[in-house]
Amino acid sequence: MKKTDIKYTNQRIEILDFLKEFDGHPTVDDVFEGVRQKLTRISKATVYNNLRFLSEKGLIKEVNVKGVSRFESNMIPHHHTMCLECGEMKDYESEELCEYAMKIAAEIDDFKIESADTNFYGICKKCMEKE
Amino acid sequence: MKKTDIKYTNQRIEILDFLKEFDGHPTVDDVFEGVRQKLTRISKATVYNNLRFLSEKGLIKEVNVKGVSRFESNMIPHHHTMCLECGEMKDYESEELCEYAMKIAAEIDDFKIESADTNFYGICKKCMEKE
DNA sequence: GTACATGCAAACGCTTTGCTGGGCG
DNA sequence: CGCCCAGCAAAGCGTTTGCATGTAC
């Protein structure tokens, strides 16, 4: 399953471009609305199918938040902070923590680790100021 | 929102008992089928509503896996291993990792950490043997 | 011409909601 | 009597699928 196997259709290119420029973790609807600016006739099913396709190919990453799929194109191992108030989700990169988690995971019996990620739950700046 | 505010109806008690005895991370359907053994007339909506209620009260924990809710009554901070082949999910307790993650999180700017959890993705023993 | 993508609509599965009746203070 | 909870069915919402058409090699 090499990268060269991938057919880069217009729809897929626009989806990838949109994800690259989007600041955050868009839902399927976000992607759909965004891509529709350029490809006015694209259907939501195509967005769904291609988001799944691209994440299976390892070009993007799917993150599930409370039962809803979100996507990101940042493929560097990293973590996420989630605001318990407003639901905002942000990247947080800590190489140390990635390595520490992988080291610990390597010691788990009967389990071959492939990846690890950590989610931080708390209150974001905006919501702190609101209170 | 004290624990004493909670009305322990028969349905809630049975759901809590079921979760305590269940070895794993049951879905809503698992809970429904389990509890129905004793309360034959319970409805799935009651199971949904009470699982949400109990997790809001902090008596159980909800974990979302691929868009589906699962529940656990183990409230001690811990992590999860997930098998990429069969989807099996297991608890993994590492106090060191919990503390390390919290320590790192405390340093994130503009974010007041409350909790952190780590998911390990890989291949479980059963699936390794299958190959 | 074959294989695979698209667009559209319908179907699907998990979850929530509205309503009515019941239980307990 | 008032309040909350249970049961039931229907609605809601995110997602997947079937099918006919289109497009690239």
Side-chain angles (χ1 to χ4, degrees), chain B residues 15-126:
Chain B
I15 289 171
L16 285 169
D17 281 357
F18 177 81
L19 283 173
K20 218 162 288 172
E21 278 155 41
F22 193 94
D23 177 32
H25 302 80
T27 62
V28 175
D29 273 7
D30 294 332
V31 178
F32 176 59
E33 291 304 331
V35 172
R36 191 149 65 146
Q37 303 302 315
K38 291 196 177 170
L39 301 174
T40 52
R41 289 184 49 73
I42 197 172
S43 85
K44 202 176 276 189
T46 300
V47 175
Y48 269 100
N49 292 335
N50 281 328
L51 284 169
R52 188 169 35 150
F53 173 87
L54 293 169
S55 67
E56 278 167 3
K57 295 292 183 187
L59 291 176
I60 62 174
K61 202 162 170 261
E62 180 174 358
V63 262
N64 203 287
V65 187
K66 291 185 183 177
V68 180
S69 288
R70 291 174 176 271
F71 297 85
E72 61 183 2
S73 59
N74 176 5
M75 297 303 284
I76 299 165
H78 63 278
H79 314 289
H80 291 117
T81 59
M82 318 250 215
C83 180
L84 296 167
E85 286 273 324
C86 67
E88 192 201 49
M89 181 180 188
K90 279 189 161 179
D91 286 356
Y92 179 69
E93 286 183 26
S94 164
E95 216 176 306
E96 323 165 58
L97 181 56
C98 285
E99 281 167 12
Y100 191 78
M102 291 300 283
K103 202 195 82 193
I104 293 226
E107 289 164 15
I108 305 177
D109 292 335
D110 302 330
F111 190 75
K112 195 169 82 194
I113 182 74
E114 295 206 352
S115 69
D117 54 43
T118 301
N119 295 316
F120 300 109
Y121 300 92
I123 311 293
C124 76
K125 190 187 183 187
K126 262 177 289 173

Side-chain angles (χ1 to χ4, degrees), chain A residues 8 33 49 89 129:
Chain A
Y8 286 94
E33 290 304 331
N49 291 334
M89 182 181 186
E129 285 166 356

Side-chain angles (χ1 to χ4, degrees), chain A residues 24-69:
Chain A
H25 302 81
T27 62
V28 174
D29 273 8
D30 294 332
V31 178
F32 177 59
E33 290 304 331
V35 172
R36 192 150 65 147
Q37 304 302 315
K38 291 196 176 170
L39 300 174
T40 51
R41 289 184 50 70
I42 197 170
S43 85
K44 201 176 273 190
T46 300
V47 176
Y48 269 101
N49 291 334
N50 281 328
L51 284 169
R52 187 169 35 149
F53 174 86
L54 293 168
S55 68
E56 279 168 3
K57 294 294 183 185
L59 291 176
I60 63 175
K61 203 163 169 260
E62 180 173 358
V63 261
N64 202 288
V65 187
K66 290 184 183 179
V68 180
S69 288

